[in-house]
Amino acid sequence: MRPFHRPLRPFRRLRPDLASLRWKIAALAAATACLVVAAVGVLVHLWTAQDIRSRAEAQAFNGVYSAMDDYRRTGTLADGAELDPADLPAALRHPADDKRHTAYDGHVDAGANAGPTTWAAQRTGGPGSRVLAVRVNMSNDFHTLRQLDVTMAVASPAALAAAAPLAVYGAGLLARRLRRVSETAGRISAGDLDARTGPTKGRDEVADIAATVDLMADSLGQRLRTERQFTADVAHELRTPVGGLLAAVDLLPPGETEDLLRARVRDLRDLVEDLLEISRLDAGAEQPIRARVPLGAVVSEAVTRTGLDTEVTVAEVIGGEDIGGEVIGGEADAARTVETDPRRLERIVGNLVVNAHRHGDTPVRVTVEGRTVVVRDHGPGFPKDLLLHGPRRFHTGATERGSGHGLGLTIALGQSRLLGAELRLENAPDGGAVATLRLPD
């Protein structure tokens, strides 16, 4: 049961979590995109660098082959070919045979040949002969690679900036669907058994959760309706035999036994009537009959009918000033009367006063001010469980609260909701239970 002093809305507590989920999903998508961009950038860089070297190596290898052919035929060196160049890598200075070999030199020298270079070399004859070498400068290619790296570095944040809103929007769609399910669950937990999520877009896990929540609500509603109908049927069937018992008690001779039986039978009759009233409230069969009545007079009459020693204070509003005490003669403004169902208002006040005497301690005071009725006792106060979960049937909350079937506050809460009023239960700082009924404007 939801707390009686304010609406319980679990989905409002969940909303920050759902909003956080949206940003978490967006952040995860952005982080994943960053990792993908970084991995692709590294792979593209490595692959391009390897491709540049492979093409340079093939170009150098073919250059040595052509230069060696010209040198052996004409004895002259082709353009780009050199014999025993001074800056030839050490790995190619003393080849063991006359086969072609290549080597990469990443050293950067000043001059025309500055930059990474791939060499290819081959001996012109047998062992000890001179070495013919060809170099291929890769500076332009690596400059292009650096430009590609810069372009990817600039394009990646731009792509992420464009993708981030899409990720947030997509995560927001998921969060809104989850919020819809959470709102439905919150309404069900607050007592609205007709709340349903309904069909949701897509056939995914969120749709499965929504369908499960709706199915749970259907099952829960059916069980509660069955239990309420059973309670109403039992109370209705008990009404006749209890009435017969009460009539039979009247035939007993006066005495202690007759008084004891009469009191027990009346308690049983009151219990049956309370159960019937709760059943009608649960079924929504009750409708208030509203009339404009003097609030102070209705409350005083309700307290008088309880037959319990209760102090009543009515603060009337006359000429725009609050005057404490009993009703003072003169014409009061609109705050003196309220439009409500007087019978149900008397029922609420009577139950609160009886509960204060039964479970609290004297003195019990009732204060009427404006549209507010306050009932206070000086007992142990409401138990924490009742303040947290609201009044529950056949549960008084604590041993010190005394005996009773726990239906008085339940009925008062149901009747106040029917009147559109707010019933707040709390404990006074200096001890005692305080019930505040605030009627609507």
Side-chain angles (χ1 to χ4, degrees):
M1 179 181 295
R2 67 178 180 177
F4 37 86
H5 55 279
R6 61 180 182 274
L8 176 62
R9 296 181 178 178
F11 52 87
R12 286 194 178 275
R13 294 197 298 269
L14 290 175
R15 279 183 180 176
D17 296 337
L18 291 176
S20 174
L21 177 62
R22 178 178 65 183
W23 292 110
K24 286 178 180 178
I25 294 176
L28 179 62
T32 303
C34 289
L35 290 176
V36 171
V37 168
V40 170
V42 171
L43 290 177
V44 169
H45 177 87
L46 294 177
W47 182 87
T48 304
Q50 182 62 35
D51 181 66
I52 291 174
R53 292 176 183 177
S54 298
R55 287 188 289 107
E57 183 178 342
Q59 183 180 352
F61 204 81
N62 292 333
V64 166
Y65 178 82
S66 177
M68 182 62 70
D69 184 62
D70 289 343
Y71 181 75
R72 287 177 177 175
R73 284 189 299 105
T74 64
T76 60
L77 294 176
D79 292 340
E82 303 176 61
L83 289 175
D84 297 325
D87 51 353
L88 184 68
L92 301 180
R93 288 183 181 277
H94 305 288
D97 51 37
D98 60 350
K99 293 183 179 180
R100 292 183 294 276
H101 300 275
T102 59
Y104 171 73
D105 183 10
H107 182 67
V108 179
D109 292 327
N113 293 322
T117 303
T118 295
W119 289 85
Q122 182 180 2
R123 285 192 179 277
T124 57
S129 61
R130 304 184 72 178
V131 176
L132 186 147
V134 173
R135 78 173 75 196
V136 175
N137 192 288
M138 297 180 290
S139 297
N140 292 335
D141 292 329
F142 275 97
H143 177 70
T144 303
L145 177 60
R146 286 191 293 272
Q147 288 183 328
L148 177 63
D149 292 340
V150 172
T151 301
M152 292 189 65
V154 173
S156 297
L160 288 176
L166 295 178
V168 173
Y169 175 75
L173 292 178
L174 176 61
R176 280 192 289 272
R177 294 175 64 196
L178 289 174
R179 183 179 298 116
R180 183 180 174 186
V181 176
S182 70
E183 289 176 353
T184 302
R187 291 168 57 191
I188 294 172
S189 67
D192 183 6
L193 299 182
D194 295 327
R196 297 294 185 274
T197 303
T200 59
K201 297 180 180 179
R203 296 182 179 180
D204 50 17
E205 289 80 358
V206 178
D208 292 340
I209 293 174
T212 303
V213 170
D214 288 348
L215 182 62
M216 176 196 68
D218 291 337
S219 176
L220 179 61
Q222 181 60 38
R223 291 185 181 183
L224 288 179
R225 282 190 292 269
T226 301
E227 292 180 1
R228 289 171 179 175
Q229 186 61 43
F230 173 76
T231 302
D233 292 342
V234 169
H236 183 75
E237 293 298 328
L238 287 175
R239 199 173 190 180
T240 300
V242 169
L245 282 175
L246 192 59
V249 170
D250 291 336
L251 300 178
L252 294 176
E256 183 178 351
T257 302
E258 186 267 346
D259 293 339
L260 180 61
L261 286 176
R262 183 184 297 276
R264 293 296 179 266
V265 172
R266 285 178 177 172
D267 289 342
L268 182 58
R269 180 194 61 185
D270 294 340
L271 175 59
V272 172
E273 294 296 333
D274 288 346
L275 288 175
L276 285 173
E277 184 173 357
I278 290 178
S279 299
R280 291 193 296 269
L281 290 172
D282 288 340
E286 295 288 308
Q287 294 295 331
I289 301 176
R290 300 183 182 277
R292 183 158 289 280
V293 295
L295 181 58
V298 173
V299 171
S300 298
E301 179 66 19
V303 173
T304 301
R305 289 185 179 182
T306 63
L308 301 172
D309 184 16
T310 305
E311 178 184 342
V312 180
T313 302
V314 180
E316 290 295 330
V317 181
I318 301 178
E321 297 182 357
D322 292 340
I323 301 178
E326 297 298 329
V327 178
I328 299 178
E331 184 178 357
D333 60 18
R336 184 176 180 178
T337 61
V338 294
E339 185 175 351
T340 186
D341 188 328
R343 182 182 67 84
R344 300 184 189 281
L345 179 59
E346 288 184 5
R347 178 68 162 153
I348 297 172
V349 174
N351 280 14
L352 294 178
V353 171
V354 171
N355 182 82
H357 279 277
R358 178 177 295 171
H359 303 298
D361 198 0
T362 57
V364 176
R365 296 190 178 96
V366 179
T367 304
V368 181
E369 184 174 358
R371 297 177 179 272
T372 302
V373 180
V374 180
V375 179
R376 177 183 177 179
D377 63 51
H378 291 76
F382 294 115
K384 294 181 179 179
D385 183 63
L386 186 145
L387 294 177
L388 180 62
H389 300 290
R392 290 182 288 175
R393 304 167 192 182
F394 302 102
H395 184 75
T396 57
T399 305
E400 63 270 15
R401 294 287 296 171
S403 61
H405 45 67
L407 297 181
L409 289 180
T410 304
I411 293 175
L413 178 62
Q415 294 288 9
S416 63
R417 287 175 178 170
L418 190 63
L419 295 179
E422 178 189 10
L423 179 60
R424 180 187 295 272
L425 305 182
E426 54 193 355
N427 291 327
D430 55 346
V434 180
T436 303
L437 177 68
R438 184 172 290 106
L439 298 175
D441 296 334

